[in-house]
Amino acid sequence: MKIGRVIGTLVGAIVLVAAGFTVYALVSVTHSGNEQAAQPAGAGAPADLPAQMAHGEYLVRAADCEACHTAPGGQPFAGGVAFKLPFGTIYSSNITADPETGIGNWSDDDFVRALHAGVDKEGRPLYPAFPYTSYTALSRDDIVAIKTYLFSLPSVRAPARPNDLSFPFNQRWTLSLWNALFLKKERFQPEQGKSEAWNRGAYLATALGHCGECHTPRNVAFAMDSGKALAGAELQGWKAYNITSDKEHGVGSWSDQELVDYFSKGHAAGRGTASGPMGEVVGYSLQYLTPSDLSALVTYLRDVKPQQGGAAMPAPTTAVPASAVATTSLGEQLFVGACVGCHTQSGQGRETDYAMLTGLRSVRDPHATNLTQIIISGSVLHVGGQEIFMPSFGRAYSDTEIAALSNYVVQHFGDQQGRLSAADIAARRQP
């Protein structure tokens, strides 16, 4: 996550270690710390779970496990995904049933303890790139079902890659101190007075799907700021947009169907197309949710306290700053030469709605944060049995050209003041 802060004391360093890998679990409902508590209403299998899908498989998808534990070109769940941070790189672990390099010799209790307390089989603190601060709210039954499914898959021998962290961030004992301050080892319990659908949606959003990990800003301790739940944040160079019920800054003006379309298809006409980290969430996770769970998730988001700020989009403007005028001509030339074929001059998209540019949050952002990431790195969305592909232009275009193209797109389709410079693009190219 893109977090940088000068640390002058060891205590500050400890806080930053934990902050670089996680956020504090969003707690908008009450919990119970009883490990043997009855299965809460929000947990368990949805009534419309497809007969061909096991409960554990469904939970693994809903929890988006594969995205973090499957390296590009690697075997599913064998780990090795790199998390690049300001103070080093860590790699996700192998969670297949291989007894030597995976979790094949872990008991149910070992696995439950990892998700509830953030420790491995030997009791050593886990780096919270593994979001146990959210998973701690999961029911034991759901966790055991997840393990059962993982153990049903082919085991893969894949030794862990050593983390590359500088001192003191390579000292795991520091995580124990952070956990003592910020980890609430409590299970989800439904909130009285709320509907069954709301509670199911809360369980999906705050525990299983851990939406706040990306969409909630952090406080001074780099824990999730529960007072600004789902108000939007930025991580790894991407904006995770405000998804509160605010009509101007969040998704309050979206219809229920638009939200369902975005979650299940990765696209809502005139609203947005999932790309980057959100594209992975749709591809690995959200598209597999049942209709009842999609509806429950929408029900919960409708009730999230409206928030402004974060990654909110400003109101449209027709003013064009002097800094953008000089690049508009070059940007238009580039767009006509390389982009019109798929996106069309009107931005309505050719052949597929996924190529639509009009109305999207990404083109209404004058900083063009997500737009430039897509231009530089491209985008691939696997949804509904198809692959939605946007090629990378990072090597084809210079920093000046990408800045000009981005400024043109946000001006022409988003009615915003594009202010990007070549230096801005150069900085965004950095890992």
Side-chain angles (χ1 to χ4, degrees):
M1 300 179 183
K2 210 164 186 179
I3 301 171
R5 184 73 60 96
V6 176
I7 303 299
T9 66
L10 179 58
V11 172
I14 292 169
V15 170
L16 182 56
V17 170
F21 302 106
T22 193
V23 287
Y24 186 33
L26 169 64
V27 180
S28 60
V29 292
T30 57
H31 296 268
S32 167
N34 183 1
E35 292 287 344
Q36 303 300 324
Q39 185 85 333
D48 52 347
L49 180 69
Q52 70 273 20
M53 183 180 288
H55 179 206
E57 178 184 1
Y58 183 78
L59 293 170
V60 165
R61 292 192 183 279
D64 201 21
C65 303
E66 189 169 357
C68 289
H69 290 277
T70 303
Q75 294 296 311
F77 304 104
V81 176
F83 292 83
K84 296 183 179 180
L85 304 160
F87 32 80
T89 302
I90 66 170
Y91 298 90
S92 63
S93 58
N94 181 348
I95 57 170
T96 73
D98 183 72
E100 295 183 6
T101 66
I103 58 172
N105 61 356
W106 287 39
S107 68
D108 287 355
D109 285 344
D110 293 334
F111 194 70
V112 169
R113 188 163 54 249
L115 274 71
H116 280 173
V119 296
D120 66 11
K121 180 178 173 63
E122 284 72 37
R124 297 172 299 192
L126 297 170
Y127 283 112
F130 175 58
Y132 58 82
T133 50
S134 290
Y135 289 159
T136 191
L138 293 174
S139 72
R140 178 185 177 88
D141 288 351
D142 277 358
I143 293 175
V144 172
I146 288 172
K147 176 176 175 289
T148 299
Y149 173 70
L150 291 174
F151 274 49
S152 74
L153 301 175
S155 61
V156 179
R157 179 173 176 77
R161 295 188 61 177
N163 298 325
D164 181 17
L165 298 171
S166 58
F167 182 85
F169 309 110
N170 58 357
Q171 303 299 303
R172 286 181 181 264
W173 65 266
T174 62
L175 297 174
S176 298
L177 300 180
W178 191 89
N179 286 341
L181 292 172
F182 299 111
L183 173 61
K184 291 190 175 182
K185 301 175 184 178
E186 299 174 340
R187 311 295 82 77
F188 175 94
Q189 289 297 319
E191 184 169 312
Q192 298 300 316
K194 297 294 186 180
S195 68
E196 182 177 344
W198 187 97
N199 278 299
R200 175 61 177 177
Y203 186 77
L204 290 167
T206 66
L208 195 58
H210 52 278
C211 303
E213 297 275 359
C214 294
H215 291 277
T216 297
R218 298 176 182 82
N219 60 23
V220 68
F222 296 98
M224 189 184 299
D225 187 346
S226 60
K228 297 179 181 178
L230 306 183
E234 185 172 332
L235 70 161
Q236 298 183 20
W238 292 83
K239 281 188 177 179
Y241 293 118
N242 184 327
I243 56 172
T244 72
S245 61
D246 186 87
K247 292 185 177 181
E248 181 179 355
H249 298 78
V251 295
S253 63
W254 293 38
S255 69
D256 289 359
Q257 189 60 52
E258 286 171 338
L259 286 169
V260 169
D261 284 347
Y262 189 82
F263 295 149
S264 61
K265 302 175 183 178
H267 175 78
R271 297 295 189 180
T273 297
S275 56
M278 191 64 200
E280 291 183 349
V281 173
V282 171
Y284 283 114
S285 178
L286 292 178
Q287 68 168 313
Y288 297 101
L289 294 186
T290 66
S292 69
D293 273 356
L294 287 170
S295 179
L297 188 56
V298 170
T299 297
Y300 174 72
L301 291 176
R302 288 282 185 230
D303 198 44
V304 172
K305 179 183 176 182
Q307 300 274 2
Q308 297 185 356
M313 296 297 97
T317 177
T318 56
V320 181
S323 60
V325 172
T327 63
T328 297
S329 178
L330 173 59
E332 184 174 6
Q333 291 174 20
L334 293 168
F335 186 84
V336 171
C339 308
V340 164
C342 292
H343 297 286
T344 74
Q345 187 66 49
S346 67
Q348 293 301 304
R350 193 189 308 277
E351 297 183 358
T352 174
D353 289 342
Y354 289 89
M356 182 181 295
L357 293 175
T358 54
L360 306 186
R361 279 177 157 182
S362 58
V363 303
R364 292 191 59 224
D365 173 12
H367 303 289
T369 304
N370 292 0
L371 175 64
T372 55
Q373 291 289 357
I374 295 171
I375 294 173
I376 293 170
S377 302
S379 178
V380 179
L381 175 63
H382 297 278
V383 63
Q386 60 181 328
E387 180 180 88
I388 312 301
F389 179 75
M390 163 75 182
S392 165
F393 290 90
R395 294 185 178 180
Y397 290 166
S398 68
D399 295 341
T400 297
E401 289 172 325
I402 292 178
L405 176 60
S406 301
N407 286 336
Y408 172 76
V409 170
V410 299
Q411 177 192 334
H412 189 70
F413 298 107
D415 205 15
Q416 298 298 321
Q417 300 179 4
R419 302 176 181 274
L420 290 174
S421 67
D424 294 326
I425 301 304
R428 294 181 187 185
R429 288 183 188 269
Q430 300 303 313

